[in-house]
């Protein structure tokens, strides 16, 4: 039943988001959090570059439709912004056990290994 699969995926989405928010709040109680599920389809204020409040942006199951249908192409995505600018991004794919981390000014990593791209490789992808 498609509706039951979607309801299940939505329930897991909400649980994941609540778990992530609880972890962030425990360590950073004064930070702002924008969660896909808790914010819903409501209007979200634009991140201001003048904002002194660090902000976390969470998608607890990026690829909910895939998740609901059993397709392993899903991940947890978390971004962190300071002064309205993204400074950290984390993406975890539980099915493939891959953790991607990108830090402003420090590069990007997959499972602890730095991701490096040469100019030639970049040209080939465009």
């Amino acid at each position: 039943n498609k509706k039951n699969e979607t309801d299940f995926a939505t329930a897991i989405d909400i649980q994941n988001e609540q778990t992530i928010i609880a972890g962030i709040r425990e360590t950073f109680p004064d930070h702002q959090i924008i969660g896909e599920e808790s914010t819903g389809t409501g209007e979200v204020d634009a991140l201001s570059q003048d904002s002194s409040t660090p902000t976390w942006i969470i998608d607890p199951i990026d690829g909910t439709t895939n998740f609901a249908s059993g397709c392993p192409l899903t991940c947890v995505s978390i971004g962190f912004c300071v002064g309205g600018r993204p400074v950290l991004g984390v993406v975890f794919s539980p099915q493939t056990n891959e953790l991607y981390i990108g830090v402003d000014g420090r590069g990007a990593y997959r499972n602890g290994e730095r991701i490096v791209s040469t100019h030639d490789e970049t040209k080939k992808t465009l």
Side-chain angles (χ1 to χ4, degrees):
N1 182 323
K2 188 88 168 152
K3 183 178 178 351
N4 288 342
E5 290 172 359
T6 303
D7 289 346
F8 170 74
T10 302
I12 298 300
D13 239 350
I14 292 167
Q15 282 182 332
N16 282 359
E17 184 171 295
Q18 289 171 344
T19 299
I20 294 165
I21 288 173
I24 293 170
R25 290 256 183 259
E26 187 175 315
T27 306
F28 305 105
D30 297 332
H31 288 193
Q32 179 179 353
I33 300 173
I34 299 170
E36 182 184 47
E37 301 309 313
S38 56
T39 303
T41 57
E43 192 68 26
V44 176
D45 293 337
L47 294 175
S48 168
Q49 291 182 351
D50 300 331
S51 175
S52 61
T53 306
T55 303
W56 297 86
I57 303 168
I58 303 165
D59 187 346
I61 300 179
D62 199 350
T64 305
T65 302
N66 288 348
F67 179 81
S69 65
C71 177
L73 301 176
T74 65
C75 58
V76 177
S77 300
I78 302 173
F80 181 61
C81 297
V82 176
R85 274 192 36 201
V87 295
L88 171 71
V90 178
V91 176
F92 178 65
S93 173
Q95 298 291 340
T96 61
N97 202 32
E98 293 174 295
L99 176 65
Y100 293 88
I101 300 173
V103 181
D104 186 35
R106 299 197 183 262
Y109 300 82
R110 177 186 165 269
N111 292 341
E113 299 277 328
R114 187 171 178 113
I115 299 171
V116 180
S117 175
T118 66
H119 182 67
D120 290 340
E121 289 173 342
T122 305
K123 281 175 139 179
K124 290 178 189 176
T125 63
L126 298 177

